[in-house]
Amino acid sequence: MKIDREESLRRLSETAAQDEPIIGAGAGTGISAKFAERGGVDLLIIYNSGRYRMNGRGSLAGMLPYGDANEIVVEMGHEVLPVVEDTPVLAGVNGTDPFRQMDVFIEDLKRRGFSGVQNFPTVGLIDEDSEFRQNLEETGMGYDEEVEMIREASEQGMLTCPYVFDPDQARRMTEAGADVVVAHMGLTTSGDIGAETAMDLDEASDRVQSIRDAVAEVDEETMVICHGGPIAWPDDAAYVLENTEGVVGFFGASSIERLPTEEAIERQAAEFKDIDLG
């Protein structure tokens, strides 16, 4: 069920006004989407890493050439959209894709029932000082293309919830029409295929706050939520939200579908193996 931008924003603003956190959830499978929705999430996001993650691979597989990221999202939409009853579903769009007419692709996503977009895969995860990142920027496959994708989606009336990694990107995405800015702290830690290298929660809180302050410089009404890095579990998200001002929620991908799945399946299998046949 497609939910238009105005209704989506009304719901999100109402949630924030009631001092309830806005929670977004990545959905790599239909069952993830179905039960995240039953749990009360406010947004569902489909992107290629969800497929890899729920097939036991690290989320950064979505950044490597293992498949056509934008086509995978369309395929996943066939699996996820029909089971979602009343929650906005966003498509993770590879804005740097040189083989897509982005205005046409976004229009097609709208037709398929997506309510909005997010920029993923994103070159924002690649160190800006690296030669590889600089080469991407120099050859027309840089973060600027992701900003323009968000601008196009906003102009087409879609909900836009981009990932940003620093205050400058936050300002640029807000100027491009972002509705909800997601302060990305890097690959999520914890679990069997999570990252081991990450900042601590205090550093994450400071970075999230700097991003929120940059957004507010452009548009005080634009909402900011946090994601990734050491913010892996509900207590982590609570800590960051308690130690920042103006940050109204959390987006969990691995945190909501991978980590609980790892624990639940392992525990259930172990309990069956513990059955005493004597």
Side-chain angles (χ1 to χ4, degrees):
M1 174 182 176
K2 181 181 174 184
I3 300 169
D4 65 30
R5 177 178 180 270
E6 290 71 23
E7 175 61 14
S8 298
L9 283 174
R10 185 195 66 76
R11 295 183 186 187
L12 297 175
S13 298
E14 188 175 276
T15 296
Q18 293 172 349
D19 291 327
E20 296 178 9
I22 293 169
I23 303 297
T29 66
I31 199 166
S32 298
K34 178 180 287 189
F35 288 96
E37 182 175 46
R38 289 190 189 179
V41 300
D42 303 287
L43 297 167
L44 289 163
I45 302 93
I46 302 174
Y47 52 90
N48 69 330
S49 275
R51 172 167 289 180
Y52 296 126
R53 177 169 54 242
M54 298 309 286
N55 276 292
R57 277 69 175 184
S59 294
L60 286 183
M63 294 286 293
L64 294 171
Y66 302 140
D68 180 337
N70 285 329
E71 185 59 33
I72 287 171
V73 166
V74 171
E75 293 172 4
M76 292 172 70
H78 297 314
E79 303 163 1
V80 173
L81 287 166
V83 303
V84 177
E85 296 181 358
D86 191 33
T87 305
V89 179
L90 278 59
V93 176
N94 181 4
T96 67
D97 186 344
F99 299 99
R100 291 288 191 287
Q101 290 179 261
M102 201 51 64
D103 57 341
V104 175
F105 183 58
I106 289 172
E107 187 175 355
D108 185 49
L109 292 174
K110 288 175 62 178
R111 182 181 61 82
R112 292 177 181 274
F114 286 96
S115 298
V117 300
Q118 185 175 64
N119 55 321
F120 194 89
T122 171
V123 299
L125 281 165
I126 303 170
D127 184 356
E128 282 191 311
D129 294 327
S130 69
E131 183 177 345
F132 180 52
R133 173 67 180 275
Q134 291 172 17
N135 288 165
L136 287 172
E137 300 287 347
E138 292 163 357
T139 54
M141 291 176 282
Y143 195 81
D144 284 349
E145 300 303 309
E146 298 178 28
V147 174
E148 290 310 307
M149 182 275 290
I150 291 296
R151 190 186 312 278
E152 176 65 36
S154 178
E155 290 175 355
Q156 289 199 30
M158 296 195 84
L159 185 71
T160 53
C161 305
Y163 279 142
V164 306
F165 299 82
D166 60 44
D168 178 63
Q169 291 176 1
R171 283 186 284 267
R172 289 162 62 195
M173 282 295 193
T174 306
E175 290 168 353
D179 298 305
V180 180
V181 169
V182 185
H184 199 309
M185 298 296 107
L187 185 65
T188 302
T189 60
S190 297
D192 186 65
I193 55 174
E196 295 183 10
T197 304
M199 67 191 80
D200 63 27
L201 285 171
D202 288 321
E203 185 180 355
S205 298
D206 290 342
R207 289 198 186 184
V208 170
Q209 187 65 61
S210 70
I211 286 171
R212 191 274 167 182
D213 292 344
V215 168
E217 290 174 10
V218 179
D219 186 351
E220 184 70 36
E221 299 302 312
T222 300
M223 291 171 274
V224 176
I225 64 177
C226 58
H227 168 74
I231 318 171
W233 298 97
D235 286 348
D236 302 328
Y239 184 91
V240 171
L241 295 177
E242 288 167 3
N243 286 276
T244 53
E245 293 184 4
V247 181
V248 296
F250 169 73
F251 165 52
S254 293
S255 297
I256 289 180
E257 66 170 353
R258 173 177 64 82
L259 294 176
T261 300
E262 287 180 3
E263 291 196 349
I265 292 176
E266 182 176 352
R267 182 173 59 250
Q268 188 82 335
E271 288 181 6
F272 275 107
K273 285 296 293 180
D274 283 342
I275 294 173
D276 186 355
L277 298 180

